Amino acid sequence: MSASREKGIVMIGAGQAASQAVVSLRSEGYEGPITMIGDEAVPPYQRPPLSKKFLAGEIGFDRVELKPAEFYASANCKLMLGTRATEIDRKAKTVTTSDGHVLDYTKLLIATGSRVREINVPGFDLEGVHYLRSVGDVAEIQSHFKAGGKMVIVGGGYIGLEVAAVAKKNGLDVTVLETANRVLARVVDPIVSKFYERIHREAGVDIRTGSMVVGFEGKDNKVTGVDTGDGEIVPCDFVVVGIGIIPNTELAEEAGLAVKNGIVVDECTRTSDPDIFAAGDCTNHPNGVFNERLRLESVQNAIEQGKTAAAAMMGKEKPYNQVPWFWSDQYDLKLQIAGLSQGYTQAVTRGNPETDRNFAVFYLKDDVLIAVDAVNRPPEFMMSKTLIANHTKLDPARLADESINMKEVANA
């Protein structure tokens, strides 16, 4: 075991939150050493493009890389890539890594992100059953991209539908199997689900809802079909499973930090240990806009918590308290989401999702706007972020009326 006696800031995780924290620490005036530990062999990169333009081969790694390796060197940030943190000793204020290093820290940032939820059915370990979470995963999936090849996607969420769009444009025969009775069931109103099902079917994707996967069939240890339990085996050359992600909280939990659906942090990303902070997908944090604790899986959340954590490590209070937002690219459609629609009492549509490729669905709770799904409608998305933050009460009829400019809908 070797020890680094130079105390500084240590970051566990090498993703969006950690990369942002390095940038923000230097802009906040921190001059000490920074060490970033990442289990992948490459510097931090953006994950959202992996299921979109990167999977399609339209952009290379240089376009998803957050900062070139030279940036970290110039920022006096040591990258320990291809290694894992295996233990946090809060009393000694050290982090032990899988290759035997022991790092001292003054402040620690846990930005361990999340991992894919794996499917546990017979045949899950056959060759050709893939997940999409890393650049390595993309390379494996792309190796099957041959026109006319048969692909089955398990899961009709954002990842599954984005992959379906890319695969279809590459000439593959695509079937999507979704357990729920509609796609995107966990996150959007049936209006939006119906729209995306129509779009994908028109593109030639076989969307099957209410379809349970009970196993994978194979030959010579390679997947050849998906068993849906109803007597049919859906033939395939390969499978992509997209059934959600799980926050990586085990290290924090083993260290005795408070964990409940994520690492519990305050509005400044402090954990239950004043010298340990956490940011990104792995955190459970308070949100003042919705007055509840949230665990978010989004780029915006990772970036803003990275900024807040850096400031807090420098003794500056810059609470993170914003309207969450997300996006999804499928074909020529950009879905932009602001807010959280859970608990809505009314959905109001602006535009015609049955015939058009641009519209917005507003989610109201007792006439207060709490979320929007905007498809190719940037003005509705941008304006809604402000209206949601201000807990604005709206007249549903004015919202639906496209003759009224979005900037005027709040003016009764």
Side-chain angles (χ1 to χ4, degrees), residues 307-357:
K307 293 176 182 177
T308 293
M313 289 178 182
M314 296 294 289
K316 302 172 185 178
E317 300 286 305
K318 294 185 179 180
Y320 165 49
N321 183 34
Q322 297 181 14
V323 174
W325 58 269
F326 318 83
W327 82 94
S328 175
D329 293 330
Q330 299 169 45
Y331 306 109
D332 59 331
L333 307 170
K334 179 172 282 294
L335 169 62
Q336 293 174 292
I337 300 165
L340 300 169
S341 62
Q342 286 82 355
Y344 72 98
T345 54
Q346 185 179 6
V348 178
T349 305
R350 185 179 177 93
N352 191 342
E354 293 188 5
T355 58
D356 301 336
R357 296 178 81 88

Side-chain angles (χ1 to χ4, degrees), residues 71-104:
F71 162 79
Y72 299 98
S74 65
N76 190 21
C77 174
K78 180 182 179 183
L79 296 179
M80 296 182 68
L81 303 176
T83 189
R84 291 180 302 104
T86 55
E87 183 186 7
I88 299 167
D89 186 329
R90 290 166 55 194
K91 187 174 180 180
K93 296 182 76 169
T94 61
V95 174
T96 302
T97 67
S98 55
D99 55 4
H101 287 86
V102 178
L103 309 173
D104 296 298

Side-chain angles (χ1 to χ4, degrees), residues 19 22-23 26 31-36 43-44 65 67-81:
S19 181
V22 173
V23 174
R26 293 312 183 201
E31 297 178 349
I34 302 172
T35 302
M36 185 190 297
E65 196 176 32
K67 297 284 184 182
E70 304 82 66
F71 162 79
Y72 299 98
S74 65
N76 190 21
C77 174
K78 180 182 179 183
L79 296 179
M80 296 182 68
L81 303 176

Side-chain angles (χ1 to χ4, degrees), residues 288-308:
V289 176
F290 291 93
N291 198 30
E292 62 178 296
R293 296 193 70 88
L294 304 173
R295 189 180 69 77
L296 298 174
E297 301 159 5
S298 78
V299 167
Q300 173 234 8
N301 178 60
I303 290 173
E304 297 303 328
Q305 284 195 316
K307 293 176 182 177
T308 293

Side-chain angles (χ1 to χ4, degrees), residues 38-56:
D39 57 6
E40 291 187 65
V42 292
Y45 59 87
Q46 306 171 64
R47 293 196 190 275
L50 298 189
S51 56
K52 306 175 182 75
K53 289 187 175 182
F54 189 73
L55 177 63

